[in-house]
């Protein structure tokens, strides 16, 4: 590290993570109670103050290209969206509607590869929240996709 | 319409749409040949020089919230991604990898509602292409979601 | 155009554009009353029910690369953001805060090239609105950048 | 933290940060050598293997709303874009063209507030790279904006 004299690291507030208002079992019930998540085979595998982690096994109907047989981008987009959503749900005790999202695709997930999606809060506000997520290959932690979304936190 | 004198509509080139290099049957074979698309029940219903249009029926496993029963955002994201992709595929004769995408969610799609996704090219280059898509409710054409993505057109 | 029998163009509602609530002079006063816009040299050149069009001349301080001398991406991003914003402002009579935005860069704008940014509403709601914009080279209408954003329409 | 037995934290590879190929002075010369950056008053204030940090003082021409006097979103978008770009430049020794970017706006930056933009690499590939950036208020580290972009790393 190097820098000009007198201009060091910015005075970032020590981050006090927002406390969770739901425990592991309650959040897990929300994750697995959604019909599309059941079809995807999702399970919550970790919840702490900083992150939620969701596991997705592989299934043949997720395949995009019939010859190369990689997992469809729409499946990866769903993982980014929902992992970011549950990172907010852990702080609010309820899921929130997605306003918009962005996904970057880094590497293909191939046949038989289970994935882990890790969601993290960026900013929690009374009207809106922003959260991000990374999708990793379970076997070696390689980054498959990542992204972020904006969610409506205001109860209507 | 009104404007300052002498400063009218910008000199937009008359848009000559890039010609398609595949016909309806060949593109339809690509759409329905993908295992995830088969699970979604997709079908190509229209192809012209300007747009591709894909139909998706509803199925119970697409549901996000078990009580309100709206279609999962990951399903809508898949529709935006693939309709934009096929708008490019019509010009190149092959599908292209998605680099990244954005989806805006405008309205929930409810139980039993079939959807139409319309893809359109924005810019076709030798390395990259950008395309957009809208997802409409079939019954009345209401806008459910829309978005855009960047795709890698350079063959590797 | 071709299609399967009985499955034609989706039943898109004939689009009735949302009426404008401000005229050209009032919207122009908003555009040019912003200090950064004054620095950019912006002017409103067209307003109709469907689109707003804003002109930006070139200035030397906008340059990114000192040798190739193309206009900085941050300038193009500002154009996308503000043209989309004024497309909403025309319908509401006031500017709206940007929640998030996406910009795709298609081609570099070079030294001396004036640009036109065209904004268009995608969806206007009571809490949120989505709008898009394209940035064209004035001389020939070539597409330089395009994008979209989400805006907060709810007055706080 | 809690979790189901036998399903702990995913096997994320210990991240070996990609080494920088340029030092602080060389990267700083790149940052300040760009005419738009000179106008913005940017300076590189930190470079390490994980992050680049750039400082921007306030100036009156950056203001968006003439009464509330907050900094224009296009200025914040430029900061996100360029901080992410220099996070890649530190690894390659050259700036890279932005393909597309997303910015989330979290809080307004008010009159007189200097900002810090921190860029970080997400994924470096031979054709493409993805990087992210956060814009903080210098005085207290509050998060003002954040985002990410895709960049073309392939030399043409």
């Amino acid at each position: 590290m190097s820098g000009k004299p007198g201009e060091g690291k910015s005075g970032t507030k020590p981050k006090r993570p927002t406390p969770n208002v739901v425990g592991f079992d309650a959040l897990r019930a929300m994750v697995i109670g959604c019909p599309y998540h059941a079809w995807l085979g999702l399970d919550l595998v970790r919840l702490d103050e900083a992150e939620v982690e969701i596991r997705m096994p592989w299934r043949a109907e997720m395949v995009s290209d019939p010859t190369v047989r990689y997992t469809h981008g729409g499946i990866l987009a769903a993982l980014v969206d929902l992992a970011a959503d549950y990172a907010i749900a852990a702080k609010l005790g309820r899921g929130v509607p997605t306003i918009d999202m962005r996904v970057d695709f880094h590497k293909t997930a191939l046949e038989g590869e289970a994935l882990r999606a890790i969601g993290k809060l960026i900013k929690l506000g009374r009207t809106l929240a922003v959260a991000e997520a990374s999708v990793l290959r379970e076997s070696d932690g390689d980054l498959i996709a990542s992204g972020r979304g904006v969610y409506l936190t205001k109860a209507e």
Side-chain angles (χ1 to χ4, degrees), chain A residues 37-77:
Chain A
H37 296 179
W39 183 82
L40 292 170
L42 302 186
D43 203 359
L44 182 69
V45 292
R46 185 168 58 91
L47 168 65
D48 58 40
E49 297 284 296
E51 293 178 350
V52 300
E53 182 167 343
I54 289 165
R55 180 181 195 272
M56 186 185 78
W58 181 85
R59 62 181 291 173
E61 294 92 336
M62 288 172 179
V63 163
S64 180
D65 186 286
T67 52
V68 185
R69 297 188 66 70
Y70 54 81
T71 297
H72 198 282
I75 303 285
L76 303 177

Short mmCIF file of all heavy atoms in Angstrom, two decimals, chain A residues 37-77:
data_model
loop_
_atom_site.label_atom_id
_atom_site.label_comp_id
_atom_site.label_asym_id
_atom_site.label_seq_id
_atom_site.Cartn_x
_atom_site.Cartn_y
_atom_site.Cartn_z
N HIS A 37 -38.92 -22.15 -5.48
CA HIS A 37 -37.72 -22.55 -4.73
C HIS A 37 -37.71 -24.05 -4.46
O HIS A 37 -36.65 -24.69 -4.47
CB HIS A 37 -37.64 -21.79 -3.41
CG HIS A 37 -37.49 -20.30 -3.59
ND1 HIS A 37 -37.43 -19.43 -2.55
CD2 HIS A 37 -37.38 -19.55 -4.71
CE1 HIS A 37 -37.31 -18.19 -3.01
NE2 HIS A 37 -37.28 -18.24 -4.31
N ALA A 38 -38.90 -24.59 -4.21
CA ALA A 38 -38.98 -26.04 -4.01
C ALA A 38 -38.57 -26.77 -5.28
O ALA A 38 -37.82 -27.75 -5.24
CB ALA A 38 -40.41 -26.43 -3.59
N TRP A 39 -39.01 -26.25 -6.42
CA TRP A 39 -38.64 -26.87 -7.69
C TRP A 39 -37.12 -26.77 -7.90
O TRP A 39 -36.47 -27.71 -8.39
CB TRP A 39 -39.39 -26.20 -8.86
CG TRP A 39 -39.09 -26.87 -10.16
CD1 TRP A 39 -39.67 -28.01 -10.65
CD2 TRP A 39 -38.11 -26.47 -11.12
NE1 TRP A 39 -39.11 -28.34 -11.86
CE2 TRP A 39 -38.15 -27.42 -12.17
CE3 TRP A 39 -37.20 -25.42 -11.21
CZ2 TRP A 39 -37.32 -27.34 -13.30
CZ3 TRP A 39 -36.36 -25.33 -12.31
CH2 TRP A 39 -36.42 -26.28 -13.35
N LEU A 40 -36.55 -25.62 -7.55
CA LEU A 40 -35.10 -25.44 -7.68
C LEU A 40 -34.32 -26.29 -6.66
O LEU A 40 -33.12 -26.47 -6.80
CB LEU A 40 -34.72 -23.96 -7.47
CG LEU A 40 -35.16 -22.94 -8.53
CD1 LEU A 40 -34.91 -21.51 -8.03
CD2 LEU A 40 -34.45 -23.15 -9.87
N GLY A 41 -35.01 -26.75 -5.63
CA GLY A 41 -34.34 -27.56 -4.61
C GLY A 41 -33.55 -26.74 -3.61
O GLY A 41 -32.63 -27.23 -2.95
N LEU A 42 -33.91 -25.47 -3.46
CA LEU A 42 -33.15 -24.57 -2.60
C LEU A 42 -33.23 -24.95 -1.13
O LEU A 42 -34.24 -25.44 -0.66
CB LEU A 42 -33.68 -23.14 -2.73
CG LEU A 42 -33.67 -22.50 -4.11
CD1 LEU A 42 -34.10 -21.05 -3.99
CD2 LEU A 42 -32.29 -22.62 -4.75
N ASP A 43 -32.14 -24.65 -0.41
CA ASP A 43 -32.18 -24.73 1.04
C ASP A 43 -31.30 -23.63 1.63
O ASP A 43 -30.26 -23.29 1.06
CB ASP A 43 -31.70 -26.10 1.52
CG ASP A 43 -32.24 -26.42 2.92
OD1 ASP A 43 -32.94 -25.58 3.51
OD2 ASP A 43 -31.95 -27.52 3.41
N LEU A 44 -31.75 -23.07 2.74
CA LEU A 44 -30.91 -22.11 3.47
C LEU A 44 -29.86 -22.92 4.23
O LEU A 44 -30.20 -23.87 4.94
CB LEU A 44 -31.77 -21.31 4.45
CG LEU A 44 -31.02 -20.23 5.25
CD1 LEU A 44 -30.60 -19.07 4.34
CD2 LEU A 44 -31.90 -19.68 6.39
N VAL A 45 -28.59 -22.55 4.07
CA VAL A 45 -27.56 -23.32 4.77
C VAL A 45 -26.78 -22.48 5.78
O VAL A 45 -26.01 -23.02 6.59
CB VAL A 45 -26.56 -24.00 3.80
CG1 VAL A 45 -27.28 -25.09 3.00
CG2 VAL A 45 -25.91 -23.00 2.85
N ARG A 46 -26.96 -21.17 5.74
CA ARG A 46 -26.23 -20.33 6.70
C ARG A 46 -26.94 -18.99 6.81
O ARG A 46 -27.45 -18.46 5.83
CB ARG A 46 -24.79 -20.10 6.22
CG ARG A 46 -23.92 -19.33 7.20
CD ARG A 46 -22.44 -19.39 6.80
NE ARG A 46 -22.22 -18.84 5.48
CZ ARG A 46 -21.93 -17.55 5.23
NH1 ARG A 46 -21.80 -16.69 6.22
NH2 ARG A 46 -21.73 -17.14 3.99
N LEU A 47 -26.94 -18.46 8.02
CA LEU A 47 -27.47 -17.12 8.27
C LEU A 47 -26.64 -16.51 9.38
O LEU A 47 -26.53 -17.09 10.46
CB LEU A 47 -28.94 -17.20 8.73
CG LEU A 47 -29.54 -15.91 9.30
CD1 LEU A 47 -29.63 -14.81 8.26
CD2 LEU A 47 -30.92 -16.18 9.91
N ASP A 48 -26.01 -15.40 9.11
CA ASP A 48 -25.39 -14.64 10.20
C ASP A 48 -25.73 -13.17 9.98
O ASP A 48 -26.53 -12.84 9.11
CB ASP A 48 -23.89 -14.94 10.32
CG ASP A 48 -23.11 -14.65 9.06
OD1 ASP A 48 -23.39 -13.61 8.40
OD2 ASP A 48 -22.21 -15.43 8.71
N GLU A 49 -25.18 -12.29 10.78
CA GLU A 49 -25.57 -10.88 10.69
C GLU A 49 -25.13 -10.28 9.35
O GLU A 49 -25.75 -9.33 8.87
CB GLU A 49 -24.93 -10.06 11.83
CG GLU A 49 -25.37 -10.47 13.23
CD GLU A 49 -26.77 -9.99 13.58
OE1 GLU A 49 -26.98 -8.77 13.64
OE2 GLU A 49 -27.67 -10.86 13.77
N ALA A 50 -24.10 -10.84 8.75
CA ALA A 50 -23.55 -10.25 7.53
C ALA A 50 -24.11 -10.86 6.26
O ALA A 50 -24.21 -10.18 5.24
CB ALA A 50 -22.03 -10.37 7.53
N GLU A 51 -24.44 -12.15 6.28
CA GLU A 51 -24.76 -12.85 5.03
C GLU A 51 -25.83 -13.93 5.21
O GLU A 51 -25.98 -14.48 6.30
CB GLU A 51 -23.49 -13.55 4.50
CG GLU A 51 -22.40 -12.63 4.03
CD GLU A 51 -21.14 -13.36 3.57
OE1 GLU A 51 -21.04 -14.60 3.77
OE2 GLU A 51 -20.26 -12.69 3.01
N VAL A 52 -26.51 -14.22 4.10
CA VAL A 52 -27.32 -15.44 4.03
C VAL A 52 -26.69 -16.32 2.95
O VAL A 52 -26.13 -15.81 1.99
CB VAL A 52 -28.80 -15.16 3.65
CG1 VAL A 52 -29.46 -14.24 4.66
CG2 VAL A 52 -28.93 -14.58 2.25
N GLU A 53 -26.76 -17.62 3.14
CA GLU A 53 -26.21 -18.53 2.13
C GLU A 53 -27.22 -19.61 1.81
O GLU A 53 -27.76 -20.27 2.71
CB GLU A 53 -24.89 -19.15 2.62
CG GLU A 53 -24.26 -20.06 1.59
CD GLU A 53 -22.82 -20.43 1.92
OE1 GLU A 53 -22.19 -19.74 2.77
OE2 GLU A 53 -22.34 -21.43 1.35
N ILE A 54 -27.47 -19.77 0.50
CA ILE A 54 -28.51 -20.69 0.02
C ILE A 54 -27.86 -21.68 -0.94
O ILE A 54 -27.04 -21.30 -1.77
CB ILE A 54 -29.63 -19.88 -0.66
CG1 ILE A 54 -30.42 -19.11 0.42
CG2 ILE A 54 -30.56 -20.76 -1.49
CD1 ILE A 54 -31.30 -18.02 -0.10
N ARG A 55 -28.23 -22.93 -0.81
CA ARG A 55 -27.67 -24.00 -1.65
C ARG A 55 -28.68 -24.42 -2.71
O ARG A 55 -29.87 -24.54 -2.42
CB ARG A 55 -27.32 -25.20 -0.78
CG ARG A 55 -26.73 -26.35 -1.55
CD ARG A 55 -26.41 -27.53 -0.65
NE ARG A 55 -25.53 -28.45 -1.36
CZ ARG A 55 -25.97 -29.44 -2.16
NH1 ARG A 55 -27.25 -29.65 -2.32
NH2 ARG A 55 -25.10 -30.21 -2.80
N MET A 56 -28.18 -24.66 -3.92
CA MET A 56 -29.04 -25.17 -4.98
C MET A 56 -28.38 -26.37 -5.63
O MET A 56 -27.29 -26.26 -6.21
CB MET A 56 -29.31 -24.10 -6.05
CG MET A 56 -30.32 -24.58 -7.10
SD MET A 56 -30.56 -23.39 -8.45
CE MET A 56 -29.08 -23.71 -9.42
N PRO A 57 -29.01 -27.54 -5.55
CA PRO A 57 -28.47 -28.70 -6.27
C PRO A 57 -28.75 -28.55 -7.76
O PRO A 57 -29.51 -27.67 -8.18
CB PRO A 57 -29.27 -29.86 -5.68
CG PRO A 57 -30.59 -29.26 -5.32
CD PRO A 57 -30.30 -27.83 -4.91
N TRP A 58 -28.18 -29.40 -8.57
CA TRP A 58 -28.40 -29.35 -10.01
C TRP A 58 -29.60 -30.22 -10.37
O TRP A 58 -29.88 -31.21 -9.70
CB TRP A 58 -27.14 -29.86 -10.71
CG TRP A 58 -27.21 -29.85 -12.20
CD1 TRP A 58 -26.95 -28.81 -13.02
CD2 TRP A 58 -27.57 -30.94 -13.05
NE1 TRP A 58 -27.12 -29.17 -14.32
CE2 TRP A 58 -27.50 -30.47 -14.37
CE3 TRP A 58 -27.95 -32.27 -12.82
CZ2 TRP A 58 -27.80 -31.29 -15.47
CZ3 TRP A 58 -28.24 -33.08 -13.91
CH2 TRP A 58 -28.17 -32.58 -15.22
N ARG A 59 -30.31 -29.82 -11.42
CA ARG A 59 -31.30 -30.75 -11.98
C ARG A 59 -31.33 -30.56 -13.50
O ARG A 59 -31.09 -29.46 -14.01
CB ARG A 59 -32.67 -30.62 -11.35
CG ARG A 59 -33.38 -29.30 -11.48
CD ARG A 59 -34.74 -29.32 -10.76
NE ARG A 59 -35.69 -30.19 -11.46
CZ ARG A 59 -36.90 -30.50 -10.98
NH1 ARG A 59 -37.29 -30.01 -9.80
NH2 ARG A 59 -37.71 -31.27 -11.67
N ALA A 60 -31.67 -31.62 -14.21
CA ALA A 60 -31.52 -31.66 -15.67
C ALA A 60 -32.35 -30.60 -16.38
O ALA A 60 -31.96 -30.08 -17.44
CB ALA A 60 -31.87 -33.05 -16.20
N GLU A 61 -33.50 -30.22 -15.81
CA GLU A 61 -34.37 -29.24 -16.47
C GLU A 61 -33.80 -27.82 -16.41
O GLU A 61 -34.36 -26.90 -17.01
CB GLU A 61 -35.76 -29.23 -15.82
CG GLU A 61 -36.55 -30.50 -16.00
CD GLU A 61 -36.32 -31.44 -14.82
OE1 GLU A 61 -35.27 -31.34 -14.14
OE2 GLU A 61 -37.20 -32.31 -14.60
N MET A 62 -32.72 -27.61 -15.66
CA MET A 62 -32.11 -26.27 -15.57
C MET A 62 -31.17 -25.97 -16.74
O MET A 62 -30.64 -24.86 -16.83
CB MET A 62 -31.25 -26.20 -14.30
CG MET A 62 -32.04 -26.14 -13.02
SD MET A 62 -30.89 -26.28 -11.62
CE MET A 62 -32.05 -26.17 -10.25
N VAL A 63 -30.94 -26.96 -17.57
CA VAL A 63 -29.93 -26.83 -18.61
C VAL A 63 -30.38 -25.88 -19.72
O VAL A 63 -31.54 -25.90 -20.15
CB VAL A 63 -29.60 -28.23 -19.17
CG1 VAL A 63 -28.88 -28.13 -20.51
CG2 VAL A 63 -28.75 -28.99 -18.15
N SER A 64 -29.45 -25.06 -20.19
CA SER A 64 -29.73 -24.15 -21.29
C SER A 64 -29.39 -24.80 -22.62
O SER A 64 -30.25 -25.17 -23.38
CB SER A 64 -28.92 -22.87 -21.09
OG SER A 64 -29.17 -21.97 -22.14
N ASP A 65 -28.13 -24.97 -22.89
CA ASP A 65 -27.69 -25.52 -24.17
C ASP A 65 -27.71 -27.05 -24.09
O ASP A 65 -27.08 -27.65 -23.22
CB ASP A 65 -26.28 -25.02 -24.44
CG ASP A 65 -25.80 -25.42 -25.81
OD1 ASP A 65 -25.48 -26.62 -26.00
OD2 ASP A 65 -25.74 -24.56 -26.69
N PRO A 66 -28.44 -27.71 -25.02
CA PRO A 66 -28.57 -29.17 -24.92
C PRO A 66 -27.26 -29.93 -25.16
O PRO A 66 -27.16 -31.08 -24.75
CB PRO A 66 -29.61 -29.50 -25.99
CG PRO A 66 -29.62 -28.35 -26.93
CD PRO A 66 -29.20 -27.15 -26.14
N THR A 67 -26.28 -29.31 -25.81
CA THR A 67 -25.02 -30.03 -26.02
C THR A 67 -23.97 -29.69 -24.96
O THR A 67 -23.41 -30.57 -24.32
CB THR A 67 -24.47 -29.79 -27.45
OG1 THR A 67 -24.41 -28.38 -27.68
CG2 THR A 67 -25.38 -30.42 -28.49
N VAL A 68 -23.74 -28.38 -24.72
CA VAL A 68 -22.75 -28.01 -23.69
C VAL A 68 -23.32 -28.22 -22.28
O VAL A 68 -22.58 -28.45 -21.32
CB VAL A 68 -22.27 -26.55 -23.87
CG1 VAL A 68 -21.18 -26.20 -22.89
CG2 VAL A 68 -21.78 -26.32 -25.30
N ARG A 69 -24.62 -28.15 -22.15
CA ARG A 69 -25.34 -28.49 -20.91
C ARG A 69 -24.95 -27.64 -19.71
O ARG A 69 -24.73 -28.14 -18.61
CB ARG A 69 -25.21 -29.98 -20.58
CG ARG A 69 -25.85 -30.86 -21.67
CD ARG A 69 -25.94 -32.33 -21.33
NE ARG A 69 -26.84 -32.65 -20.23
CZ ARG A 69 -28.17 -32.57 -20.30
NH1 ARG A 69 -28.76 -32.19 -21.41
NH2 ARG A 69 -28.91 -32.88 -19.25
N TYR A 70 -24.88 -26.33 -19.90
CA TYR A 70 -24.66 -25.44 -18.75
C TYR A 70 -26.00 -24.95 -18.21
O TYR A 70 -27.02 -24.98 -18.93
CB TYR A 70 -23.73 -24.27 -19.12
CG TYR A 70 -24.15 -23.47 -20.31
CD1 TYR A 70 -25.12 -22.48 -20.20
CD2 TYR A 70 -23.58 -23.70 -21.56
CE1 TYR A 70 -25.49 -21.73 -21.30
CE2 TYR A 70 -23.96 -22.96 -22.67
CZ TYR A 70 -24.91 -21.98 -22.53
OH TYR A 70 -25.30 -21.25 -23.62
N THR A 71 -25.98 -24.51 -16.98
CA THR A 71 -27.19 -24.04 -16.31
C THR A 71 -27.65 -22.71 -16.91
O THR A 71 -26.84 -21.82 -17.17
CB THR A 71 -26.91 -23.90 -14.80
OG1 THR A 71 -26.61 -25.20 -14.30
CG2 THR A 71 -28.12 -23.34 -14.05
N HIS A 72 -28.95 -22.57 -17.13
CA HIS A 72 -29.55 -21.40 -17.77
C HIS A 72 -29.29 -20.12 -16.97
O HIS A 72 -29.39 -20.13 -15.74
CB HIS A 72 -31.05 -21.62 -17.91
CG HIS A 72 -31.71 -20.73 -18.91
ND1 HIS A 72 -32.01 -19.42 -18.66
CD2 HIS A 72 -32.11 -20.97 -20.17
CE1 HIS A 72 -32.59 -18.88 -19.72
NE2 HIS A 72 -32.67 -19.81 -20.65
N GLY A 73 -29.01 -19.03 -17.67
CA GLY A 73 -28.78 -17.75 -17.01
C GLY A 73 -29.96 -17.27 -16.18
O GLY A 73 -29.79 -16.59 -15.17
N GLY A 74 -31.17 -17.66 -16.57
CA GLY A 74 -32.35 -17.28 -15.81
C GLY A 74 -32.38 -17.94 -14.43
O GLY A 74 -32.94 -17.37 -13.48
N ILE A 75 -31.77 -19.11 -14.33
CA ILE A 75 -31.66 -19.78 -13.03
C ILE A 75 -30.67 -19.02 -12.15
O ILE A 75 -30.91 -18.78 -10.95
CB ILE A 75 -31.19 -21.25 -13.21
CG1 ILE A 75 -32.12 -22.04 -14.14
CG2 ILE A 75 -31.00 -21.92 -11.85
CD1 ILE A 75 -33.43 -22.46 -13.52
N LEU A 76 -29.55 -18.60 -12.74
CA LEU A 76 -28.54 -17.85 -11.99
C LEU A 76 -29.10 -16.49 -11.57
O LEU A 76 -28.85 -16.01 -10.46
CB LEU A 76 -27.28 -17.68 -12.82
CG LEU A 76 -26.63 -18.99 -13.31
CD1 LEU A 76 -25.43 -18.69 -14.20
CD2 LEU A 76 -26.21 -19.86 -12.13
N ALA A 77 -29.88 -15.87 -12.47
CA ALA A 77 -30.50 -14.59 -12.13
C ALA A 77 -31.46 -14.75 -10.95
O ALA A 77 -31.51 -13.90 -10.05
CB ALA A 77 -31.24 -14.03 -13.35
#
